[in-house]
Amino acid sequence: QVQLVESGGGLAQAGGSLRLSCAASERTFSNGAMGWFRQAPGKDREFVAAISRSASTTSYTDSVKGRFTISRDNSKNTVSLQMNSLKPEDTAVYYCASSIYGRASPNSAAYGYWGQGTQVTVSS
């Protein structure tokens, strides 16, 4: 079974940066797309970014385009989310997710494995 472990969350000031990482426990990581989702208090979980199996395609929600960058290293079974120009509205628990499909999908139903989440807090 695939296990995903996120790291890198924490507290940042508005305009600052954080880098999230997600490590997968099995080589099945390389078989599917990877995604990042987030959930703010009182809100539904929402799509943030995704990267295809081959890393040839990425997808972002409009609110993070130009600020966040998703990347993956299939040799290390890791996916990262570089977050720049952070805003208070980026505050949320961020989840890493693994899909059995190769395409970078914004649909949470495409992802069968989820990490436990890491808290990101951005102060104004």
Side-chain angles (χ1 to χ4, degrees), residues 15-19 64 66-69 81-87 90:
S17 299
L18 285 173
R19 184 177 180 87
V64 307
R67 300 189 298 122
F68 291 10
T69 302
L81 185 68
Q82 177 66 42
M83 305 185 295
N84 299 328
S85 301
L86 284 164
K87 303 176 180 180
D90 294 320

Side-chain angles (χ1 to χ4, degrees), residues 74-97:
N74 288 347
S75 67
K76 297 181 179 180
N77 293 352
T78 59
V79 61
S80 298
L81 185 68
Q82 177 66 42
M83 305 185 295
N84 299 328
S85 301
L86 284 164
K87 303 176 180 180
E89 50 264 43
D90 294 320
T91 295
V93 177
Y94 283 71
Y95 297 90
C96 172

